[in-house]
Amino acid sequence: MKTMNIPDRILEEIHLGERNAEDYYDIYGKEQLENALKQLDQSDEEILSRYSADDMRNAVLKKQFSVTVGTSGGASGEENGSSEKKSSPYALRLRIMACAAAVLAAVFAAPAVMQRTRPASASPENSVRLKGNKIPSKTPQSLRLYRKDGNSVNALENGASAKAGDVIQITYNPGRNDYGVIFSIDGNGNVTRHFPEDGWIAVKMKHSASEIPLDFSYELDDAPYFEYFILVASKKAFSLEGIDEKIAASALDMDFLQEGTYLPLGTDRTVFLLRK
């Protein structure tokens, strides 16, 4: 019987647990498939030994910035699928290994503080995605920002300074939660939705042992004072319909924005502040 080549993408997805190897035994043969997966494991070890976790993660993030960026100042627009690029097998491999290396070396930027939502008181844009396995329950919810500085990509600390024209990449990890929304609020009161792209109903978030970048970069406009990025997540679906009206009614009080009393009960939030 003639041996069939196994597509790289199928091997990667089996390796990540997104497909069952048994489903392909009849097509490619059990022995051939298992040998190919063993070679993939060896490739993992070679990449991990050759590159540092920082180098690989930066390579992934540079790939994120190599495409068209969105601009702040309004609700997210429609996704432009026409400019989405197919990945080479090596590029796909590098993205996956960046996740693994980051986990093994534990080299993450400091996460923004996540707090439980309390009851209310009286008062743009195409890129590649990182893939990963089911997240361990102990991995915390997180929201991180990266900025392109020339040819480098640097992790930002919560509370860092930023300016108009900065190109920002958002990454997240939902932790124990399954559904989420990511949005930002600037000093002019503009509320910009980053995830999902088509409404304020929380949608399923990806799980990974590492960070998951959004499919676009974000260019800051000249809004003054600050830009708050907020991840709201929960085990169950929820809605943030009307969130812009609630924020407008707060007169952009910073304590109000950080405390999150305007968010639905039973949700977790992560807040990341950029000062301008």
Side-chain angles (χ1 to χ4, degrees), residues 213-244:
L214 297 188
D215 283 348
F216 57 88
S217 301
Y218 177 83
E219 183 175 335
L220 298 181
D221 62 15
D222 59 357
Y225 309 129
F226 61 79
E227 188 106 15
Y228 275 106
F229 293 81
I230 302 175
L231 162 61
V232 185
S234 177
K235 292 292 291 181
K236 298 180 180 180
F238 60 90
S239 173
L240 291 185
E241 291 289 351
I243 190 72
D244 45 352

Side-chain angles (χ1 to χ4, degrees), residues 44-45 47-48 56 92-102:
D44 287 359
E45 294 175 2
I47 293 175
L48 284 173
M56 286 189 286
L92 178 63
R93 191 98 206 100
L94 186 61
R95 293 200 301 277
I96 295 169
M97 291 311 301
C99 294

Side-chain angles (χ1 to χ4, degrees), residues 2-4 7-9 25 66 101 119 154 168 171 176 180 183-184 186 203 209 215 237 255 265 273:
K2 185 178 179 180
T3 301
M4 295 179 62
D8 291 310
R9 185 168 295 278
Y25 286 167
S66 68
N154 298 316
I168 303 297
T171 74
R176 66 184 182 86
F183 65 96
S184 63
D186 67 24
V203 299
D215 283 348
D255 289 337
L265 295 178
L273 168 65

Side-chain angles (χ1 to χ4, degrees), residues 3-7 28 32:
T3 301
M4 295 179 62
N5 290 328
I6 306 173
Y28 303 109
Q32 181 186 356

Side-chain angles (χ1 to χ4, degrees), residues 15 21 28-29 52 55 57 61 64 75 94 100 102 113-114 163-164 176 197 200 207 215 217 225 235-236:
H15 190 60
Y28 303 109
S52 72
D55 289 340
R57 186 175 60 181
L61 289 166
Q64 290 290 123
L94 186 61
V113 176
M114 189 273 287
K163 63 184 184 302
R176 66 184 182 86
E197 297 186 4
W200 288 103
H207 282 281
D215 283 348
S217 301
Y225 309 129
K235 292 292 291 181
K236 298 180 180 180

Side-chain angles (χ1 to χ4, degrees), residues 72-74 143 145 170 182-194 200 218 220-221 223-232 240 243-260 262-263 269-276:
S72 63
L143 181 68
L145 303 184
I170 304 169
I182 300 173
F183 65 96
S184 63
I185 309 161
D186 67 24
N188 285 331
N190 293 317
V191 178
T192 302
R193 186 183 62 252
H194 303 287
W200 288 103
Y218 177 83
L220 298 181
D221 62 15
Y225 309 129
F226 61 79
E227 188 106 15
Y228 275 106
F229 293 81
I230 302 175
L231 162 61
V232 185
L240 291 185
I243 190 72
D244 45 352
E245 288 87 351
K246 293 180 181 179
I247 291 171
S250 74
L252 299 184
D253 179 84
M254 295 185 74
D255 289 337
F256 176 84
L257 296 179
Q258 293 195 65
E259 289 173 359
Y262 50 92
L263 299 174
R269 75 186 183 284
T270 307
V271 181
F272 200 111
L273 168 65
L274 292 182
R275 302 181 186 277
K276 299 173 74 177

Side-chain angles (χ1 to χ4, degrees), residues 3 10 27 39 47 52 67 111 137 143 146 166 197 208 210 216:
T3 301
I10 289 178
I27 302 174
Q39 292 176 6
I47 293 175
S52 72
V67 294
S137 59
L143 181 68
Y146 294 81
D166 282 352
E197 297 186 4
S208 172
S210 183
F216 57 88

